[in-house]
Amino acid sequence: MIGSDVVIEHVGKSFGAFRALDDVSIGIGKGEFFSLLGPSGCGKTTLLRIIAGFEQPESGAVLLDGVNVLPEPPNTRRVNTVFQNYALFPHLSVFENVAFSLRLAKAPDATVRDRVGHYLRLVELEAHADKKPAQLSGGQKQRVAIARALINEPSVLLLDEPLSALDAKLRQHMLIELDAIHDKIGITFIYVTHDQQEALSVSDRIAVMNGGQVLQVGTPQEIYEAPATDFVAKFIGETNLYEGTIRSVSGQMAELDTAEFGTVYVTDDDPPPAGTRVSWTVRPEKIRIDLERPSSVRGGLNLLSGLVDEPIYSGFQTKFYVRTDQGATLKVIKQHADWSDEGPRIRWKDSVWLSYSAEDAFLVEVKR
Amino acid sequence: MKQGPGGLYAAPSILWLSVFFVAPLLIIVAYSFLTQGQRGGVEWKPTLDAYKAIANPTFLTVTVNTIVVALGATLVTILIALPCGYHMARSKRQNLLLLLVIIPFWTNFLIRIYAWIAILGNEGFLNDLLRFLGLTDEPLRFLYNRWAVGLVLVYTYLPYAILPLFSTIDKFDFSLLEAARDLGATKLKAITRVLLPNIRGGVFTAFLFTFIPIFGAYAVPLLVGGTESYMLGNLIADELTKSRNWPLAAAISLVITLVTTVGVMLLLRAGGTATLGSGGAGTKEPEEGAALPAQSVASAEGEPA
Ligand SMILES: Nc1ncnc2c1ncn2[C@@H]1O[C@H](COP(=O)(O)OP(=O)(O)O)[C@@H](O)[C@H]1O
Ligand SMILES: [Mg+2]
């Protein structure tokens, strides 16, 4: 099977006065595992339904391999969907659910048996072929839905929060399976989720959406390390996000005046000129936390002292809320290493030193 | 299952069934084997006269006619009720539409039949309109034939089909239709392969709710029908009131009961096998089982016609 590239051009969709999608443009490559990530209600499902053919946008185009598919009805598009609630046919067995599109195409019985057998093996459900959907667990239903959507050999598979109804353990497992299936068949996956962990772990690229708009498209690393907007920074992972004014710029490094932490050094590909008001961010795991003042302080290192307000231990790491001397709070995450690396334990009310380099702190948005 | 209290709880319904169902049925069975009384009623001398009287061509013609009219009217009713129920289930104004369906019940059944006579009669509204438009000179004869009976029967029993269909379709998960479309089904295929099999129960109920009363119809063929559209209900009334042959009336009633019971059981069997049949590792076409009731109906209609 060969995937298609999908180009979404200036798509706009309103429900009454409500603007569900506002000038959305995304380019998705052949065979890519592409995620649409955003909070509930941001328009992910609407965009997916437009690609599948269940909604018509008021403006824009959806191109599959360069051809606008908007005039086509859903049944002729080479696109199949794994629905959020699975939408398995309750009156048909697992076998007949998967065989549905072949039966419609009046495929001969032998072909149907072969192909359905193949896809049931792919999702490891051969043993359940005769069961009705009601007799399956959530994870099994999910796999039937995937097999049913794949058997048609679509060039694009749309998945609408396919794991949201599963418990956490199973979700991890299914995510890995999905990734394996994607690697095996190589078609384009468009994966909708509101869970940033899911999106980060399997996607080739991610589009972060909010309020019907695409805020940033990029690889998981780009989205995480260099969020384009405050929203993306806050939505993906945990972060510290503050504002400041640029005092001076030298190359890719900028010196900020901040109300909370005094002078802060940050980097940016192309920092705006002095005097610009900006937001900046540093990820909690990029901040070192020590009981002693670090001995070597090089240029561009941000150094602060404060008091541990709240340590939250979770086994492999501890998260600290540290109140700095200036009175603001920074989140810091310390990964626990083996015993030889692990310094003395940091406790509640300890006074600590925080340090992070300018290369780990980024400018996010220009404010006005 | 627990035995003790079950029997106790069943007592009222058993009592109800014996007093209002079993007893009358036994009386009818008994009467059909007795001798005709002088002025109605029966004499307590056992005889098979009634059943001999039944075996005559007139009775056969009326029975066949009743089956044709009842099956035809029921099918048309369900075909109209299906899209109505579908539309109501998807509508945002469900309550209003439900009200509209129920409104006819506020007017007496006989008055509504007379309303149809006022519309379809020789001096009726429809003929006036046709004359006014200059389409006809002579009044057209709409009434007193099989078609008029069919029309009024469909009109009368439409709500009885719409309501069970609506309540079943309302519980249907419409995203299944999108799933079907996604997998390559046209709109029509999505309906025949996914909607219909899943609302089979409602179609079945609608069939019973319309076929059974229509099969025993009396007032409608009496008021808007002609001799050719005589139905078994009219025959019973005639035997009771005009010929005063109560045993014969009882025998005809039993025929009606028998036909409807056998029909219902066939349908139940078909419905039952359909539910079980689609469970197999499926060389079977998905909608095959679902189509069974319709097929048996169609072939039953085909035979006498
Ligand atoms: N058919 C519809 N009619 C009216 N509003 C809708 C319809 N479908 C979606 N919406 C609205 O559009 C917004 C986006 O919905 P959706 O695409 O389902 O969001 P998401 O999948 O990101 O949670 C929501 O506010 C939702 O209420
Ligand atoms: Mg959604």
Side-chain angles (χ1 to χ4, degrees):
Chain A
M1 269 184 258
I2 302 173
S4 290
D5 53 64
V6 182
V7 177
I8 295 152
E9 278 180 350
H10 305 293
V11 163
K13 173 80 189 169
S14 298
F15 296 107
F18 178 78
R19 193 98 182 115
L21 290 176
D22 187 17
D23 193 28
V24 169
S25 295
I26 304 174
I28 301 170
K30 274 188 181 31
E32 215 177 352
F33 197 130
F34 192 93
S35 291
L36 300 173
L37 173 64
S40 174
C42 72
K44 307 178 297 288
T45 298
T46 305
L47 184 56
L48 215 61
R49 289 170 57 78
I50 287 172
I51 301 172
F54 300 124
E55 303 276 3
Q56 278 294 329
E58 286 100 43
S59 57
V62 174
L63 312 179
L64 246 68
D65 291 330
V67 179
N68 186 11
V69 292
L70 287 183
E72 277 185 49
N75 49 318
T76 63
R77 295 189 190 185
R78 291 193 46 73
V79 168
N80 282 111
T81 309
V82 175
F83 291 85
Q84 187 162 7
N85 61 355
Y86 316 133
L88 298 182
F89 304 125
H91 64 297
L92 298 178
S93 65
V94 166
F95 185 100
E96 285 302 331
N97 262 281
V98 177
F100 191 82
S101 55
L102 300 181
R103 297 278 189 219
L104 281 172
K106 300 211 181 345
D109 267 352
T111 315
V112 172
R113 262 195 307 278
D114 277 3
R115 297 266 300 279
V116 174
H118 174 75
Y119 281 94
L120 284 180
R121 268 192 301 285
L122 182 75
V123 296
E124 292 166 17
L125 279 178
E126 316 94 294
H128 304 276
D130 295 348
K131 288 189 181 162
K132 286 286 179 66
Q135 297 166 279
L136 300 179
S137 70
Q140 290 169 335
K141 283 183 197 166
Q142 181 58 67
R143 296 208 289 261
V144 177
I146 292 170
R148 186 181 69 172
L150 285 177
I151 201 166
N152 220 6
E153 310 203 323
S155 51
V156 180
L157 185 69
L158 309 175
L159 303 106
D160 192 357
E161 312 223 9
L163 309 182
S164 61
L166 307 180
D167 58 62
K169 265 251 171 64
L170 195 54
R171 197 147 57 205
Q172 270 306 314
H173 177 70
M174 282 301 304
L175 201 59
I176 295 167
E177 280 193 20
L178 262 183
D179 202 21
I181 290 172
H182 176 256
D183 290 345
K184 210 179 284 181
I185 61 176
I187 61 170
T188 312
F189 274 35
I190 303 181
Y191 185 92
V192 161
T193 180
H194 67 268
D195 183 322
Q196 39 109 4
Q197 282 304 337
E198 272 178 37
L200 290 176
S201 54
V202 289
S203 315
D204 294 320
R205 285 192 307 146
I206 300 172
V208 183
M209 296 178 64
N210 191 35
Q213 289 179 324
V214 174
L215 303 180
Q216 185 175 5
V217 178
T219 64
Q221 288 76 10
E222 285 167 355
I223 301 269
Y224 185 81
E225 306 279 348
T229 70
D230 290 0
F231 178 86
V232 176
K234 276 188 289 193
F235 190 72
I236 311 288
E238 286 201 64
T239 200
N240 299 292
L241 184 72
Y242 288 98
E243 289 193 12
T245 308
I246 295 184
R247 189 194 313 144
S248 71
V249 172
S250 73
Q252 298 201 324
M253 194 184 299
E255 215 176 305
L256 300 185
D257 281 326
T258 69
E260 295 89 353
F261 312 103
T263 303
V264 173
Y265 302 101
V266 302
T267 46
D268 191 71
D269 285 346
D270 184 19
T276 315
R277 183 120 189 107
V278 293
S279 59
W280 64 278
T281 179
V282 58
R283 296 285 180 189
E285 73 276 12
K286 302 286 168 73
I287 303 177
R288 264 189 76 95
I289 180 166
D290 297 289
L291 288 169
E292 307 290 329
R293 190 176 202 276
S295 45
S296 67
V297 179
R298 52 191 178 80
L301 188 76
N302 294 291
L303 185 63
L304 300 156
S305 62
L307 218 61
V308 174
D309 239 4
E310 178 97 70
I312 299 169
Y313 177 74
S314 54
F316 63 104
Q317 67 176 31
T318 301
K319 180 158 77 179
F320 299 96
Y321 287 86
V322 178
R323 178 170 299 274
T324 63
D325 294 345
Q326 295 91 336
T329 299
L330 272 182
K331 271 183 276 185
V332 180
I333 289 175
K334 181 178 164 61
Q335 298 296 328
H336 295 302
D338 71 67
W339 66 273
S340 59
D341 277 353
E342 196 85 32
R345 202 162 140 219
I346 298 167
R347 296 159 196 277
W348 181 53
K349 293 293 184 200
D350 279 350
S351 61
V352 291
W353 288 89
L354 304 180
S355 56
Y356 57 95
S357 63
E359 283 79 8
D360 284 324
F362 296 100
L363 289 184
V364 183
E365 268 185 30
V366 171
K367 304 278 171 183
R368 55 201 77 243
Chain B
M1 268 220 303
K2 271 190 269 179
Q3 283 294 319
L8 196 65
Y9 291 143
S13 63
I14 288 176
L15 192 71
W16 170 273
L17 279 175
S18 8
V19 172
F20 293 105
F21 180 71
V22 179
L25 192 66
L26 287 179
I27 294 173
I28 295 175
V29 173
Y31 269 36
S32 73
F33 289 102
L34 294 176
T35 308
Q36 180 183 6
Q38 286 296 310
R39 279 161 269 127
V42 285
E43 286 174 20
W44 288 82
K45 272 184 289 180
T47 165
L48 286 176
D49 282 356
Y51 290 94
K52 284 177 195 145
I54 263 188
N56 81 30
T58 321
F59 176 77
L60 211 67
T61 320
V62 175
T63 306
V64 167
N65 181 57
T66 307
I67 292 176
V68 171
V69 169
L71 280 177
T74 303
L75 278 184
V76 171
T77 306
I78 288 178
L79 283 180
I80 298 173
L82 265 173
C84 292
Y86 182 88
H87 181 74
M88 283 167 65
R90 300 218 79 167
S91 169
K92 288 196 184 78
R93 285 165 302 171
Q94 270 184 9
N95 289 335
L96 175 73
L97 294 175
L98 262 176
L99 186 75
L100 291 179
V101 170
I102 292 168
I103 276 180
F105 291 125
W106 295 354
T107 312
N108 181 283
F109 168 53
L110 285 176
I111 291 176
R112 284 183 284 135
I113 300 179
Y114 278 107
W116 275 107
I117 295 177
I119 293 172
L120 300 175
N122 284 359
E123 303 300 319
F125 171 76
L126 197 58
N127 270 315
D128 283 354
L129 186 72
L130 289 176
R131 237 186 330 249
F132 175 77
L133 293 174
L135 294 172
T136 54
D137 300 326
E138 291 295 299
L140 295 175
R141 196 160 163 277
F142 295 116
L143 282 176
Y144 312 118
N145 56 41
R146 198 180 275 180
W147 300 107
V149 175
L151 175 72
V152 178
L153 282 174
V154 168
Y155 158 79
T156 306
Y157 291 100
L158 197 54
Y160 295 91
I162 290 180
L163 292 177
L165 282 173
F166 160 72
S167 78
T168 315
I169 298 176
D170 197 38
K171 289 188 216 91
F172 177 76
D173 174 7
F174 288 103
S175 71
L176 295 181
L177 290 184
E178 286 188 345
R181 299 274 282 139
D182 193 68
L183 294 165
T186 57
K187 279 184 185 163
L188 187 68
K189 281 275 182 202
I191 285 175
T192 56
R193 297 220 172 180
V194 175
L195 178 70
L196 288 183
N198 280 298
I199 59 161
R200 216 162 41 204
V203 176
F204 183 63
T205 312
F207 185 87
L208 293 187
F209 279 17
T210 43
F211 180 77
I212 292 177
I214 290 180
F215 196 73
Y218 159 70
V220 174
L222 183 77
L223 295 174
V224 303
T227 43
E228 124 261 358
S229 50
Y230 229 53
M231 290 174 70
L232 286 175
N234 306 105
L235 221 52
I236 296 174
D238 283 354
E239 293 307 330
L240 277 175
T241 56
K242 290 187 190 139
S243 323
R244 309 265 165 136
N245 190 343
W246 286 28
L248 184 53
I252 301 172
S253 299
L254 280 181
V255 170
I256 294 186
T257 311
L258 215 66
V259 168
T260 43
T261 309
V262 168
V264 167
M265 274 164 58
L266 281 177
L267 266 179
L268 271 175
R269 274 255 308 278
T273 48
T275 317
L276 298 174
S278 52
T283 39
K284 223 172 191 172
E285 284 281 284
E287 92 278 72
E288 217 168 65
L292 269 177
Q295 274 166 9
S296 61
V297 162
S299 58
E301 192 194 21
E303 259 166 29

